[in-house]
Amino acid sequence: MTVPATASALSLEPHPEGGWFRRYYTSPIPVETPGGARPAVTMIHYLLAPGEHSAWHVVSSDEMWLWHGPGRLELALGGEGDEPGEASVVVLGPDAQSGDAQQCLVPAGVWQSARLVAEEEVLVSCVVSPGFDFADWRLAEHDQ
């Protein structure tokens, strides 16, 4: 596995859904959830490099994606349910006048997947509240 230069510079590790990540913040304030106590909020950097994508997955908390660049990213939202459904797409990128968003909220329980628009890496931050725990996350049976 070749580690992208940005992943190396930021000490990112491989993510099970694809891409690279590192947790940068975990709130010290706990909140009760159906899955147990979780931090009030967590934040990671997440990187997709050319040839990579984020597999369909769902999180039981709200997740805010914050674009840093340099490339553009398609964030597909596949509805709620047992598996992803028909997807709507939000493009995260630099060109607000052409419709790019610089952030996107993925509500709790909504399937999501991300792909590069072109062969240019993209770095985002993902802020999850209540905080992320792999016990509250799952991959789709089949990546679509």
Side-chain angles (χ1 to χ4, degrees), residues 5-144:
T6 302
S8 180
L10 296 174
S11 300
L12 306 181
E13 300 288 333
H15 197 292
E17 74 196 34
W20 303 84
F21 84 109
R22 177 177 164 205
R23 185 177 284 192
Y24 277 85
Y25 178 71
T26 301
S27 171
I29 301 168
V31 296
E32 285 301 320
T33 74
R38 301 288 186 260
V41 66
T42 57
M43 190 276 294
I44 65 167
H45 273 346
Y46 180 71
L47 176 77
L48 283 179
E52 299 174 341
H53 73 280
S54 163
W56 281 104
H57 63 284
V58 65
V59 180
S60 63
S61 296
D62 288 345
E63 182 171 3
M64 177 67 75
W65 287 61
L66 306 167
W67 176 84
H68 301 301
R72 297 170 71 224
L73 182 84
E74 288 185 354
L75 181 58
L77 307 178
E80 299 179 46
D82 292 335
E83 289 288 324
E86 186 174 335
S88 62
V89 174
V90 174
V91 176
L92 298 175
D95 194 355
Q97 292 189 14
S98 294
D100 288 357
Q102 287 71 53
Q103 72 254 343
C104 179
L105 174 66
V106 180
V110 171
W111 287 94
Q112 57 183 296
S113 176
R115 298 188 186 300
L116 300 176
V117 171
E119 290 298 305
E120 185 175 24
E121 72 178 21
V122 176
L123 179 68
V124 297
S125 290
C126 295
V127 179
V128 178
S129 181
F132 182 84
D133 188 300
F134 276 105
D136 305 325
W137 169 92
R138 68 185 165 99
L139 288 170
E141 298 264 338
H142 304 285
D143 193 26
Q144 302 172 356

